[in-house]
Amino acid sequence: VLQPHQVLSTPLEIASTLQLLVETRAPLTLTFPQQGKSFRTYLVQVDSNRHTLALDEIISHVAAVFLKDGEPYRIEGSHDGVLIAWECSSYLRSCTTGGLHCYQMSMPYEVMYFQRRNAFRATLRSAQRIDIFLDGDKLRRIGALRGRLLEISATGCSVSFAGNLEDQLRIGCIYERMSASAPLDVNLTMLEIRHLRYEARIDRTFAGVRFHNLSGLMQRKIQSFVNQLQREARRAERMRSDAILTG
């Protein structure tokens, strides 16, 4: 259920929020309301100096025609359980970023976000590497999988694995054994795959999972870890705000 939305209107707020979508490779939905059509894309660059954004190439001739004709569109994505959306009427021009074909657009004047999840979901920084090990009878054919924890809440987490596992892992399937390395240090937790996508460009599979039948001890351990990450995130945000005010 969506909560009442909040509106970001300063360039700094907008740029920092949209940068999260770049860093997490969050899939975006580009919708043309007047045409009733939607397409998948990704945000690949936020340039706060030029006040521009770059979207990954949209593999659709229909979408390209809509953009060329100046059709208004809406972009939606999510991060940490927050739906991030903005309306667009600016023209998208073809460009190249990092050797890749992209569409460049102006930074929006307003970005709306809607809280969707009661449980706070914490994103791990690149320096906070936690390995995930997935095992069980359902993986007997391919063997145990080793991945990386990306986000975690009291009720679930996001993980990534090397290679294309869309044919090996199944949405809705419950896997018997998941463990995580220190500092989370969780053992023998059951989980259910809720979302699954393969990103060919970086050859990794991303999975959203929900913890299943957690014991009271594991619930407290995971919640304690999430609370710690939340405190660290708030502390880092205060430091960034102070630096902006004093700089």
Side-chain angles (χ1 to χ4, degrees):
V1 177
L2 295 180
Q3 303 297 321
H5 73 271
Q6 299 182 45
V7 178
L8 304 178
S9 57
T10 69
L12 179 61
E13 287 179 317
I14 292 172
S16 60
T17 298
L18 298 184
Q19 182 62 34
L20 295 174
L21 299 177
V22 177
E23 295 173 356
T24 59
R25 286 290 296 170
L28 305 180
T29 301
L30 188 151
T31 301
F32 296 91
Q34 295 180 5
Q35 301 294 334
K37 299 288 186 179
S38 296
F39 304 90
R40 177 62 56 87
T41 185
Y42 295 88
L43 191 61
V44 296
Q45 186 185 68
V46 175
D47 191 329
S48 55
N49 293 322
R50 297 182 180 180
H51 302 287
T52 60
L53 309 176
L55 296 174
D56 197 4
E57 181 178 13
I58 304 163
I59 314 298
S60 167
H61 172 70
V62 175
V65 171
F66 289 161
L67 294 173
K68 186 176 180 180
D69 290 345
E71 290 281 350
Y73 52 95
R74 175 184 175 90
I75 299 177
E76 295 182 355
S78 65
H79 175 77
D80 279 358
V82 174
L83 176 66
I84 301 169
W86 64 100
E87 306 284 346
C88 311
S89 57
S90 62
Y91 177 71
L92 266 71
R93 69 177 185 86
S94 181
C95 67
T96 301
T97 299
L100 301 173
H101 179 238
C102 302
Y103 287 103
Q104 189 178 77
M105 61 182 292
S106 300
M107 190 92 71
Y109 292 106
E110 291 185 341
V111 168
M112 297 170 288
Y113 70 103
F114 306 76
Q115 184 70 40
R116 292 197 294 183
R117 182 188 293 119
N118 290 329
F120 173 80
R121 176 160 290 199
T123 301
L124 277 74
R125 301 190 303 272
S126 57
Q128 295 173 299
R129 185 182 181 96
I130 295 180
D131 290 326
I132 292 293
F133 303 90
L134 188 60
D135 199 1
D137 293 340
K138 295 183 178 68
L139 294 174
R140 187 179 303 166
R141 185 169 59 87
I142 61 173
L145 298 174
R146 177 176 178 172
R148 183 174 181 181
L149 182 67
L150 303 176
E151 296 179 333
I152 185 168
S153 74
T155 57
C157 62
S158 297
V159 299
S160 71
F161 302 95
N164 186 352
L165 299 178
E166 288 188 319
D167 292 333
Q168 284 75 37
L169 298 176
R170 288 188 298 157
I171 294 176
C173 189
I174 295 175
Y175 294 87
E176 302 98 325
R177 294 192 294 274
M178 186 199 84
S179 58
S181 65
L184 180 53
D185 198 22
V186 169
N187 293 308
L188 304 181
T189 297
M190 298 176 68
L191 58 84
E192 176 188 357
I193 303 287
R194 304 298 297 273
H195 307 284
L196 196 66
R197 85 173 192 276
Y198 172 64
E199 183 60 51
R201 179 177 296 178
I202 57 177
D203 192 29
R204 292 194 72 84
T205 299
F206 294 83
V209 309
R210 181 173 67 88
F211 298 131
H212 191 75
N213 289 346
L214 278 180
S215 68
L217 176 61
M218 285 296 101
Q219 287 179 349
R220 291 190 293 273
K221 193 168 189 177
I222 291 172
Q223 184 63 66
S224 176
F225 183 68
V226 172
N227 291 342
Q228 175 190 334
L229 293 179
Q230 187 174 19
R231 288 193 297 270
E232 291 175 358
R234 287 172 175 168
R235 189 181 306 119
E237 183 61 33
R238 285 197 299 269
M239 292 176 64
R240 283 195 294 268
S241 298
D242 292 344
I244 292 170
L245 291 174
T246 58

